[in-house]
Amino acid sequence: MNSRPRLPRREAFKIAGLSAAGLALAACGVQGQKAAAPKPDAVKDFWSGQTKHGKVVFANWPEYMPEDQGPLKKFQQATGISYEYKEVIQENAEFFGKADPVLRAGQSLGYDIVVMTNGVHLQHMIELGYCVPLDHSRLPNFAANAGQKYKERVYDPGNTYTIPYTSGVTGIAYNTDHVKDDITSIQALFDPRYKGRVGMMADAQEIANFGMFALGIDPEKSTEDDWRKAGEKLKEQRDAGIVRKYYDQSYIDAVAKGDVWLTMAWSGDVFQRQLAGEPVRFVVPEEGGTIWTDNMLIPKGAANPVDALMLMDHLYQPAVAAELDEYIQFVTPVPAVQDLLREKAASAAGEDKKALEDMVDSPLMFPTEADYAKLRTYTTLSNTQLQIFNPIFQSITQA
Amino acid sequence: MRRLTPYLLVLPSWMWLGVFLVVPMAAMASVSLQTGNAIDGYAMTFSVSTYGDALGRYSTQLARSLVYGGLATVLMLVIGYPAAYWIAFKGGRRKSMYLFLLLLPFFVSFVLRTISWNFLLSDNGILFGTLKDWGLLPADFHVLATAAAVVGGLTYNFLPFMILPIYVALERVDPRVVEAAQDLYATRAAAFRRVVLPLSLPGVFAGVLMTFVPATADPINAAILGGTSNTMIGNIIQTEYLTNLNYPTASALSFTLMAVLLVGIFGYARALGTENVLQAAAR
Amino acid sequence: MRGVLGGGDRVVHGGRLGDRVLHAYTWLVILWLASPIAVMILFGFNDKQSKSNTTWQGFTLRWYAELLDISDLTVALRNSLVIAAVSTLVTVVVGTMLGLALGRHRFRGKGVTTFLVFAAISTPELVMGASLLSLFVSGNVPRDANTVIVAHVLFSLSFVVVTVRARVVGLDPSLEEAARDLGASAWGTFRQVTLPSIMPGVMAGAMLSFALSVDDYVVTSFVNGSTVTFPLWIVGAVKTGIPPQVNVMGTLIFGIGVLIAIGNAVAGRRRT
């Protein structure tokens, strides 16, 4: 520790003594936990002894379940398994920051299902062996009803550890009061005409993807060279004063009010503002957009893994998925939901009918095939690559 | 028994601080000297270079934080002192009410307060939109996403922490002393400067301590109200710790920040001369 | 600015105007601090149709009727209030004792103690939260409302200590000595002489501590286990839209606070 000026000697020694003791205590360091991919036998071994316990604890983000908890109640009725639902996740990074010390010490988080977005932290969860490999023989609804794209995800091949809960698209949102053109290209975000009126996201993976799209690079196949080029492009954008701010979440307020005119944005946010009548429009740029997914996983040390699997599978029944998606209003992994909601709209009336129809017709909730063709996930990064990737983009967003 | 009194008074705090502050801090200090990463683990290498690297990369943000924090503190002092003065001397029976009202907005989540400020200060919102319509402001004037917004946000969010301690110190000044001083010095200003102000200095010191420090380390105002060049050291620490999982660097930065702040505090206390801050408890 | 209209009949005339100005100024400061609350209150009446509560769409009282509809939110609010009350109580007791000791007693380790108090204030919240979590995990302490209380006491302690100390420093000890000479016990002296004279510091410390606790996010997010508090719930909901019930709760908290303040002012008799 640094020494303080004018500290009486005795006090200094006392402080030094305390610190040394503490340092000695903590000098052991922290053990690595790198896990190898599970062998198929390992998966079978884990699950062979497990049985249903009659209870499940589900940790999720706020506002990701209808207030009356309908899907969960139906699950309880159908299977007799009681549930505890906890809205304890606010941010992936923070959640990982909390979970890491606990799981590293071999303790249980106390949750059977946890929802995390694909990205650095989910990847660490997997690499550190914090996730239980899933037994797909017990996930029939997933196999039957999940969209093909949701079964082939780059960041979790074969859905070994996770299955999707809901997805979202990152594209461009723009304020139609201020931007009269029809925006279709990602280059609009780099257009000097909008100097000081453009919002970009602060998250390294989000902004990296857009930098790469602007240069015609596919993030899913990118190399270190590509990242540097993307970094250059973003740096130019910043130096030219085009960007007003690198946002975490509040871009949507900014663009809805007209503080920024164009911004990187998540589909669900824009959808809600449109429902509120605000002058924002969303577009997936021609050059590409990002699709991200919030995934369900079973953390190591979960007390009720079989019950967890059953609940996860239950949520893939089309009717249940429809009930969820109607509330969450992001992109569901079950394509059949669109037709179900269409039927519901047909038999509904008044405001409900209009709301449902808006949902069904909205490409923000149900991206078209053309959209999907343009969408890519975040770049998958090993830990070593992360050490190179992050500084490139953080030096732009956090200068 | 008298001689034991201070030790009895201090014992609970010693235990609390000892267990919950010292031990974890020591562990953190230890982490700052390790190398490695989340996947492969960390090992103690007594690597002091982490500090050097971190400082080298982030000296701008650190300096900027000190400037923003310092500016906000000065503003809070200027804005808060008169209010503390009035409540202490003229608040009468309603003193507690005023203090309570000052703090009341802070019982209502900071998220709501900040969102509301974003709403009020938006480029074309209630305040600036109207002024622009009246031609009093240029069309591209904006407060949000600037350093001014960040400093303003810091000032707003920590103001009660400046007012309360100053009030507490002023309130014990007997008004008759003030009157006597006014008789002596013939103007209120002189009476204030020579009598009241010095008596309030412990409160001022406390106020500066409780505002400058948290303001400098604060990440939230910069994140919500700042623009592209207003990142503060608190944001960096957060990114290094939570996003990059770079625990040694985050710890090193935290301790560096703490060291800078503590040096500042002790220096200030010394200059002020009212605090025998580390007068080794007269043996 | 402060009654520099000196000279002549200074205490009466120049004084009064200066006082009025200061009085108005103080109210201005209070109103400025409360201005975002006005917006918050307003949007508690917003007849919004979608999940986002950001554009005014009409007036409604419906959120007041549906206040408790989001059970997790209600629980979170309750948690916050309970935690704040308990931690304030503990902090005030422990912190006042330390503030007294630092302000007027001499003892060995005073310097280190002062240093630790300052260190607690200057610790970035993130570091405090993360290091506490590690401590709890290695000690196998389950994280819940209790650990949150411990953490809140930890960071509020310094604020109470510093505030009480600012009051204690320079208090005339002769009153207490007189009381003791007259035969009062140590506790009696404290209760009847010392405590009343430091009460403003204690009350101020209590208010600061409560405010710090009820509004804390970062430290709480690390050590809360699955106990969600009000600020935590709100931050989590920002992504999908903060429901108006949050505004209503804030309005009610604020309203009750104002009523307490007024009630206190009306009923108050003592100088403090």
Side-chain angles (χ1 to χ4, degrees), chain A residues 274-314:
Chain A
Q274 285 176 342
L275 284 182
E278 295 180 21
V280 279
R281 204 179 288 172
F282 181 85
V283 64
V284 177
E286 287 161 358
E287 296 86 345
T290 305
I291 181 164
W292 49 264
T293 308
D294 284 343
N295 304 276
M296 295 185 279
L297 61 96
I298 303 179
K300 192 167 103 172
N304 311 296
V306 174
D307 312 68
L309 269 187
M310 291 174 69
L311 178 51
M312 283 160 75
D313 196 53
H314 172 84

Side-chain angles (χ1 to χ4, degrees), chain A residues 5 15 78 99 106 109 170 227 294 310 330 341 351 372:
Chain A
I15 296 176
L109 285 177
T170 312
W227 308 333
D294 284 343
M310 291 174 69
F330 272 85
L341 287 182
E351 274 179 16
Y372 271 116

Side-chain angles (χ1 to χ4, degrees), chain A residues 342-365:
Chain A
R342 197 170 279 140
E343 280 167 29
K344 190 168 175 197
S347 56
E351 274 179 16
D352 283 342
K353 186 184 178 82
K354 171 120 196 355
L356 283 166
E357 280 171 355
D358 284 339
M359 278 187 225
V360 170
D361 295 332
S362 169
L364 277 65
M365 276 181 66

Side-chain angles (χ1 to χ4, degrees), chain A residues 4 10-11 14-15 61-64 67 85-88 90 94 97-98 101-102 105 107 111 249 253 269 272-273 275-276 278 294 327-330 351, chain C residues 49-52 54-55 57 69-70 72 108-109 111-112 115 133-134 137 140 143 217 221-222 224-226 228 232-233 235-241 243:
Chain A
R4 321 264 161 264
R10 246 151 115 186
E11 306 301 345
K14 275 197 204 142
I15 296 176
W61 302 62
E63 303 271 289
Y64 259 12
E67 279 147 28
Y85 184 72
K86 303 189 175 202
E87 295 178 336
V88 291
Q90 293 89 27
E94 277 165 22
K98 273 168 72 166
V102 178
Q107 295 173 17
Y111 306 128
Q249 172 78 35
D253 257 340
D269 286 341
Q272 277 172 38
R273 296 312 179 99
L275 284 182
E278 295 180 21
D294 284 343
Y327 180 81
I328 302 175
Q329 294 170 6
F330 272 85
E351 274 179 16
Chain C
Q49 301 304 323
S50 72
K51 280 170 132 190
S52 75
T54 46
T55 308
Q57 294 175 302
D69 276 11
I70 308 178
D72 278 333
R108 304 179 86 98
V112 175
F115 173 75
L133 176 62
S134 295
V137 169
N140 243 310
R143 274 79 54 202
Y217 177 70
S221 71
F222 275 99
N224 68 328
S226 55
V228 183
L232 282 175
W233 195 94
V235 170
V238 166
K239 187 170 148 182
T240 40

Side-chain angles (χ1 to χ4, degrees), chain B residues 79 110 156 171 254 275 281, chain C residues 25 33 107 127 165 167 215:
Chain B
I79 296 176
F110 72 90
Y156 173 84
E171 201 265 354
S254 303
E275 306 276 327
Chain C
Y25 175 79
L33 285 177
F107 54 94
V127 171
R165 183 174 177 282
R167 175 74 175 185
D215 206 18

